[in-house]
Amino acid sequence: MAKSGGYLTTHVLDTARGRPAAGLSVDLYRIEGETRRHLRSLSTNSDGRTDSPILPETAFATGIYELVFHAGAYLDAIETTSAPPRFLDVIPIRFGIGDPAAHYHVPLLLSPFGYSTYRGS
C-alpha cells in the first residue's frame, strides 16, 4: 500500500433538475479481499461536492475502493415523485486507485431513473 500525494474527490449533479445534488450522503469503503471496510461518511454541499477530499492525501493509498451514494434518500428529500419501490436507491461504484500521486475524481450524474460516472479530473 504505497502512500503519496494523491487524493479522492466527487461531484454529484442532479441531471433531472440541472443543478448540483446538495445534501446527498456518500460513504467510502476500502475493499481488501472479501472485506469491505468503512472509512468515511460525508455529505455533499450546495455545489454537489464534499467540503474536503473523500480520501485526503494523508490517508490516500493504492487499492480497491467503493463509493456508496445514497441517492434514494436524496431523491426523497427533494420530493421527487416515484411510486414505491424507488427505482434507484443506493448506488455503489467500485474502482481502483493505482497511482499514489494522482487526483482521482469520481463524479456521479444522477436522475431518478438513471446515473452515470467516469474518471474525472
Side-chain angles (χ1 to χ4, degrees):
M1 218 170 34
K3 290 189 177 184
S4 191
Y7 60 102
L8 171 66
T9 58
T10 192
H11 188 196
V12 184
L13 297 172
D14 183 332
T15 58
R17 295 175 34 187
R19 61 179 74 157
L24 192 144
S25 296
V26 181
D27 289 316
L28 175 66
Y29 295 86
R30 180 170 171 85
I31 310 301
E32 297 167 331
E34 296 299 315
T35 303
R36 183 176 177 244
R37 185 169 48 100
H38 183 262
L39 299 179
R40 199 154 188 215
S41 295
L42 297 160
S43 186
T44 57
N45 60 25
S46 63
D47 191 36
R49 302 173 189 272
T50 56
D51 288 331
S52 62
I54 297 169
L55 192 58
E57 184 178 336
T58 56
F60 195 79
T62 59
I64 305 297
Y65 293 87
E66 185 174 83
L67 282 171
V68 177
F69 296 88
H70 297 274
Y74 164 78
L75 293 167
D76 288 343
I78 63 166
E79 299 179 355
T80 300
T81 305
S82 180
R86 180 171 294 294
F87 181 70
L88 290 177
D89 187 18
V90 175
I91 301 171
I93 299 174
R94 193 168 286 193
F95 57 95
I97 291 177
D99 182 349
H103 171 202
Y104 282 76
H105 184 67
V106 182
L108 182 71
L109 305 176
L110 173 67
S111 78
F113 298 102
Y115 68 91
S116 65
T117 190
Y118 54 93
R119 174 153 182 209
S121 58

